[in-house]
Amino acid sequence: MDLSNFVTENYDLELNEQQQKAVLKINGPVLLLAVPGAGKTTVIVARCANMIFNHQILPENILSLTFSRASAKDMKSRFQKYFGYTKEVNIQFATIHSFCYSVLRIYYQRKKLRVPQLLEGNNSFLSKNQMLRKIYTQFNNEYLGDDLLEELSNAIGYVKNMLYTREQIDAFKTNIKNFPEIFMTYEEQKQLHKCIDFDDMLVQTLKIFDQEQDFLNMYRHKYQYINVDEAQDLSYLQHEIIKRLAYSLKNIFMVGDEDQSIYAFRGAYPQVLLNFEAIYPGAQVYFLERNYRSTKSIVEVANGFIQVNKERRDKKMFTERTDGRPIKIRYLANKEEQLEYLLSLLQQGDLYLDQAVLYRNNVSSLPIIDLLDRNKIRFYLREFRNSPFKHWVINDLVSFLKFSLNPADLEAFKHIYYKMDAFISRVMFEQAIRSNLSNNNLIYTLLDLPGIYEKTQKKLVERNYTLQKMAQMKPLEAIEAVEKDLGYIKFLKRISKSEGYTFENLVQNIESLKSIASHTETIDQFLRRLEELEAMIEDSKYNRGKNAVTLSTIHSSKGLEFKQVVIVDLVDGQFPSGFSIDEAKKGDPHPMEEETRLFYVGITRAKEELELLTVNTINNLPVKPSRFLNQVLKLQFDTDQYLDSGEKIIGEGISIGDTVIHRKFGRGIVCGLDMKADLVEIDFNKVGSKTFSLKICLENGLLTRTKNK
């Protein structure tokens, strides 16, 4: 049967030449490398149909695995849409976690043993987070905040998915103090309570496959053909499980793209794609390089951008769509100006459902959520579980404000007493708790303690005076007082050096709260507003699929597409991260390559319109535009005429990002230049974006260049 004609005539499913090759190759190991928007899911479901309808392979002998539940659901629904009603089929489309859990259940039942209970999920009898917090406090004698809790959980998952030995765990670098001891205690606690977490599903499955040959052979016989989607997201441990399953027949069809591997922090192992022929001898490698999603202007820049990475296979992404609108880069003075521009941009769109705002870090969403709500624009937040409100800097600032209103608030004081540059030790804090029986001002209680140094007393008096004044301030002024008068900025600088945080990222949390505070009059009103926003984040999940703007980290946007995409806060040190920049200087390119892949994923979410926004200052501190913007400019304008600062030399010194004054329209920022067409696009503060002949503007003195900073 001619598969191409079969699926076209019967199922309205057209396959290009590259797709057909992958669909028709049934036996042996096959690697399919698929660029963004290449229709890889279509290939997987069509290949399943080919195996069933053309080769009479039983559906129950086919196993299709992927990393996320969303991908598994998508594969299943697409197969049913195109082929499911023709013949009763029972192909298993599953995440690797759900597959492994089913393996464990069958194994334990056969051994007449009780299946371990899950430590994670809605039906868990124990809380993994509570267990980790308790163990962390046991070893570090301090509370574990939500952001460090996530880092601890990721670190545990990473070492398990990399199959680290005890020696490797002891040498593992992380910001979590006493990590090896916490890890081992966590493992002991799970054994004591006879429970497992999600990573244990994988570890135990691999162990069973390695120790129980007959049991493994049963699965090899059952699943004679294995499809693996999103292979670049799978960990070393997950790939080892798949390798065990596929070992005998080697009918493995692996689909992925190392250029889209963005989960190194949780153990993603794209090296399998790079070494596929060595792992599976005799393998055939195919490429899906046609992008069906984006316009030519986006695809060509994205294709050129990703090629700076070294650890990749050579792919040439192309599209047959029209040229489309050029990528726009906007240089804005500060975050408030960025918000104003973002609002005007979103309001110009025809449908909010077609629009997405992406960012590197969750904290970027806070002022955007506040902005959209104030302007009655519905939004859908992709990562409501990882709320920006969980960040410890935001919790600190809220605690400072609460303590200014109620100086007896023990819970608030517990978070901030050692962060206000007042020389308050933990011993002093605990003495104050024991002494404060009348629920008095905790600063007064500290001052009454015996043996307090004169230097500490002076600081406490100063801090108490500031806190009392703060209670009467507007929220924005109060936050600034925390920064300067209570020494919080000094604390952030110190902890950035000692704990490995990026200072600029910490400060961004402050500015996000300042943006919200600027629209409130009292601290009480501001705190209520934060509660409202937190509730909106939770409720936004109900806006999925409705006419709502999508807000997402780039990590969570993977697999999605939108007519218009805006990426905000493109600042060096944030994106790419300060860590990746530092590591690159030390000679380690891997973190920077991951950041490059992340940016590549972000820009390839856009179908027709892509805007990249950066700012000159964050929290009144000067910052540099992301170095990625310079690369985009070079690719889009096809020139090497760049200054060291990344500015593009065009026409008598006028450059993209320059602030100019037009004789008629006033002040604006140069946001687009096209030498071949003799066009300059300027975004004016008052009248929006306008395009002129660059030559005419310069010859007639219509433009005056001014300094940006």
Side-chain angles (χ1 to χ4, degrees):
M1 184 188 298
D2 185 324
L3 178 73
S4 180
N5 290 335
F6 173 72
V7 297
T8 301
E9 294 174 4
N10 294 280
Y11 301 102
D12 193 28
L13 186 63
E14 293 189 16
L15 301 174
N16 64 36
E17 185 177 345
Q18 289 182 326
Q19 290 173 325
Q20 287 184 48
K21 287 181 180 179
V23 167
L24 293 173
K25 175 69 174 172
I26 297 301
N27 295 305
V30 179
L31 174 64
L32 179 62
L33 295 167
V35 303
K40 62 181 178 60
T41 305
T42 298
V43 170
I44 293 174
V45 298
R47 188 173 186 271
C48 290
N50 183 35
M51 288 191 283
I52 296 167
F53 301 136
N54 286 351
H55 296 270
Q56 289 69 54
I57 295 170
L58 295 176
E60 52 265 33
N61 291 146
I62 304 170
L63 174 64
S64 296
L65 297 174
T66 189
F67 179 80
S68 69
R69 283 180 290 182
S71 296
K73 185 178 179 180
D74 184 38
M75 283 195 294
K76 183 175 182 179
S77 64
R78 289 210 208 180
F79 186 87
Q80 290 175 340
K81 173 184 175 182
Y82 290 115
F83 309 109
Y85 60 83
T86 302
K87 182 178 179 180
E88 283 297 322
V89 293
N90 189 30
I91 301 177
Q92 186 171 352
F93 296 100
T95 66
I96 190 164
H97 281 92
S98 63
F99 167 74
C100 287
Y101 194 45
S102 70
V103 170
L104 294 185
R105 287 200 306 270
I106 292 172
Y107 176 79
Y108 276 94
Q109 287 167 2
R110 286 177 173 239
K111 294 290 184 179
K112 300 188 183 309
L113 298 171
R114 195 184 81 177
V115 180
Q117 293 199 47
L118 278 177
L119 188 60
E120 301 176 84
N122 296 329
N123 299 321
S124 174
F125 74 105
L126 279 175
S127 167
K128 175 182 178 180
N129 290 347
Q130 288 179 4
M131 184 182 289
L132 289 177
R133 280 198 168 103
K134 185 176 180 181
I135 297 170
Y136 181 89
T137 301
Q138 173 187 335
F139 283 97
N140 294 321
N141 199 27
E142 61 185 37
Y143 177 77
L144 179 65
D146 285 342
D147 54 325
L148 273 181
L149 172 63
E150 183 179 356
E151 188 170 344
L152 172 58
S153 184
N154 284 338
I156 290 171
Y158 182 88
V159 299
K160 296 184 82 165
N161 276 275
M162 292 299 291
L163 295 175
Y164 274 7
T165 63
R166 178 59 199 265
E167 291 73 20
Q168 289 173 311
I169 292 171
D170 288 340
F172 180 63
K173 292 182 180 179
T174 175
N175 289 327
I176 304 298
K177 292 179 288 186
N178 298 309
F179 174 75
E181 292 78 11
I182 292 171
F183 176 85
M184 297 308 298
T185 304
Y186 174 61
E187 295 300 296
E188 292 166 3
Q189 287 291 312
K190 284 186 296 177
Q191 289 184 13
L192 179 65
H193 292 288
K194 294 182 171 56
C195 59
I196 59 174
D197 61 22
F198 289 150
D199 293 316
D200 293 327
M201 296 178 188
L202 310 175
V203 172
Q204 291 196 17
T205 297
L206 182 64
K207 185 177 180 181
I208 290 168
F209 281 172
D210 284 344
Q211 296 179 352
E212 304 278 350
Q213 188 65 45
D214 290 343
F215 191 74
L216 173 60
N217 287 338
M218 179 184 73
Y219 278 92
R220 286 175 174 172
H221 179 73
K222 178 176 175 61
Y223 297 119
Q224 298 177 22
Y225 294 87
I226 301 171
N227 300 314
V228 181
D229 189 20
E230 302 287 2
Q232 76 282 343
D233 294 338
L234 300 187
S235 69
Y236 176 69
L237 167 58
Q238 292 165 337
H239 278 295
E240 287 296 301
I241 292 169
I242 291 168
K243 190 164 70 173
R244 301 295 192 278
L245 284 171
Y247 177 78
S248 54
L249 297 176
K250 294 183 174 58
N251 291 328
I252 177 80
F253 181 67
M254 192 168 286
V255 184
D257 180 11
E258 77 284 0
D259 289 336
Q260 297 183 73
S261 179
I262 57 175
Y263 296 111
F265 64 91
R266 64 186 185 198
Y269 197 72
Q271 288 86 341
V272 168
L273 277 67
L274 299 175
N275 303 316
F276 191 80
E277 296 94 327
I279 297 170
Y280 298 99
Q284 182 72 51
V285 180
Y286 295 114
F287 293 84
L288 289 187
E289 296 169 301
R290 179 179 175 183
N291 178 300
Y292 287 90
R293 174 186 301 153
S294 307
T295 57
K296 189 175 181 181
S297 58
I298 295 171
V299 167
E300 288 188 345
V301 169
N303 179 65
F305 180 83
I306 195 60
Q307 292 187 41
V308 301
N309 275 3
K310 305 301 181 187
E311 289 194 347
R312 63 183 298 271
R313 293 190 185 243
D314 187 29
K315 297 184 287 294
K316 296 292 188 294
M317 181 168 60
F318 70 95
T319 184
E320 294 183 3
R321 292 194 64 188
T322 56
D323 286 355
R325 174 178 153 180
I327 298 170
K328 290 191 175 182
I329 299 175
R330 303 284 175 170
Y331 295 80
L332 301 156
N334 51 46
K335 297 291 280 291
E336 282 304 308
E337 197 171 291
Q338 179 179 252
L339 287 174
E340 291 173 8
Y341 177 73
L342 178 62
L343 177 63
S344 68
L345 193 60
L346 295 175
Q347 289 176 332
Q348 292 170 20
D350 298 324
L351 196 66
Y352 292 136
L353 186 62
D354 288 336
Q355 298 173 309
V357 182
L358 307 182
Y359 33 82
R360 175 67 174 82
N361 301 313
N362 252 321
V363 68
S364 293
S365 66
L366 266 183
I368 298 173
I369 292 168
D370 181 53
L371 172 80
L372 297 182
D373 178 65
R374 284 188 285 105
N375 289 276
K376 311 301 181 188
I377 297 176
R378 182 184 288 172
F379 68 90
Y380 164 56
L381 189 74
R382 283 278 294 174
E383 285 191 299
F384 65 90
R385 290 178 184 171
N386 295 323
S387 167
F389 285 103
K390 293 180 179 180
H391 198 283
W392 59 269
V393 170
I394 289 177
N395 287 330
D396 282 354
L397 291 170
V398 169
S399 295
F400 273 112
L401 297 180
K402 286 183 175 179
F403 190 68
S404 72
L405 298 181
N406 177 15
D409 188 335
L410 178 59
E411 189 63 29
F413 194 57
K414 180 174 72 174
H415 289 291
I416 62 173
Y417 73 88
Y418 58 97
K419 301 175 182 179
M420 58 173 65
D421 193 29
F423 315 118
I424 305 172
S425 67
R426 184 171 183 85
V427 172
M428 292 169 60
F429 170 70
E430 292 173 346
Q431 286 178 332
I433 294 174
R434 290 193 295 269
S435 303
N436 193 26
L437 301 178
S438 302
N439 200 31
N440 294 324
N441 183 324
L442 284 160
I443 301 289
Y444 290 157
T445 304
L446 284 168
L447 286 167
D448 289 338
L449 292 177
I452 296 294
Y453 292 114
E454 183 178 340
K455 188 177 180 181
T456 302
Q457 287 181 333
K458 182 180 178 182
K459 283 281 188 180
L460 288 172
V461 170
E462 291 173 354
R463 298 296 178 258
N464 188 57
Y465 177 69
T466 299
L467 287 161
Q468 288 178 345
K469 285 199 306 180
M470 278 172 52
Q472 308 304 318
M473 292 179 183
K474 290 187 175 184
L476 181 57
E477 296 172 338
I479 293 173
E480 290 172 344
V482 172
E483 290 180 276
K484 301 170 186 176
D485 300 332
L486 294 183
Y488 190 63
I489 285 292
K490 184 177 179 181
F491 165 76
L492 293 182
K493 288 180 178 178
R494 185 172 72 250
I495 200 169
S496 296
K497 292 180 180 179
S498 63
E499 302 293 339
Y501 291 104
T502 301
F503 176 69
E504 291 77 10
N505 286 352
L506 300 181
V507 168
Q508 188 182 1
N509 288 275
I510 299 177
E511 180 157 78
S512 291
L513 285 192
K514 282 183 176 181
S515 176
I516 300 167
S518 65
H519 299 282
T520 60
E521 293 297 318
T522 67
I523 292 177
D524 273 332
Q525 184 186 1
F526 171 67
L527 295 175
R528 286 196 302 272
R529 180 58 177 165
L530 294 184
E531 291 175 357
E532 290 172 1
L533 294 175
E534 194 164 13
M536 287 176 202
I537 288 174
E538 176 70 24
D539 291 342
S540 76
K541 62 188 174 186
Y542 301 113
N543 291 335
R544 184 176 183 179
K546 297 180 181 178
N547 188 28
V549 176
T550 296
L551 307 179
S552 177
T553 61
I554 298 177
H555 280 100
S556 273
S557 74
K558 194 162 167 290
L560 304 180
E561 60 183 33
F562 305 89
K563 178 181 177 182
Q564 181 187 55
V565 169
V566 186
I567 305 181
V568 301
D569 294 339
L570 287 168
V571 172
D572 243 26
Q574 291 187 24
F575 198 11
S577 68
F579 172 77
S580 66
I581 294 171
D582 291 341
E583 290 301 298
K585 290 177 181 176
K586 296 175 185 176
D588 180 5
H590 297 96
M592 183 61 76
E593 290 214 354
E594 173 110 350
E595 292 286 293
T596 299
R597 294 192 294 267
L598 186 61
F599 187 77
Y600 174 73
V601 167
I603 62 178
T604 53
R605 299 310 93 198
K607 294 194 286 186
E608 296 178 15
E609 300 175 20
L610 174 63
E611 296 221 15
L612 309 174
L613 310 187
T614 186
V615 295
N616 290 334
T617 62
I618 292 181
N619 205 35
N620 297 319
L621 298 174
V623 293
K624 292 182 178 180
S626 169
R627 61 195 62 199
F628 292 158
L629 298 181
N630 293 340
Q631 295 177 44
V632 170
L633 288 173
K634 289 180 181 180
L635 290 164
Q636 182 149 282
F637 289 100
D638 192 26
T639 178
D640 291 326
Q641 287 183 295
Y642 282 79
L643 299 172
D644 291 339
S645 65
E647 292 183 339
K648 188 168 187 295
I649 305 172
I650 292 181
E652 298 186 13
I654 292 181
S655 311
I656 285 184
D658 282 348
T659 300
V660 295
I661 298 176
H662 190 276
R663 188 185 297 173
K664 179 178 179 181
F665 299 108
R667 183 181 295 270
I669 294 178
V670 178
C671 56
L673 287 161
D674 188 333
M675 290 185 68
K676 295 177 182 178
D678 182 36
L679 295 176
V680 57
E681 184 181 1
I682 302 172
D683 186 31
F684 294 101
N685 296 348
K686 295 181 180 180
V687 296
S689 178
K690 289 187 177 294
T691 303
F692 308 95
S693 162
L694 178 61
K695 182 178 180 182
I696 292 174
C697 284
L698 295 175
E699 287 179 351
N700 292 276
L702 296 176
L703 288 178
T704 304
R705 185 175 184 271
T706 185
K707 292 183 178 179
N708 287 333
K709 309 277 186 183

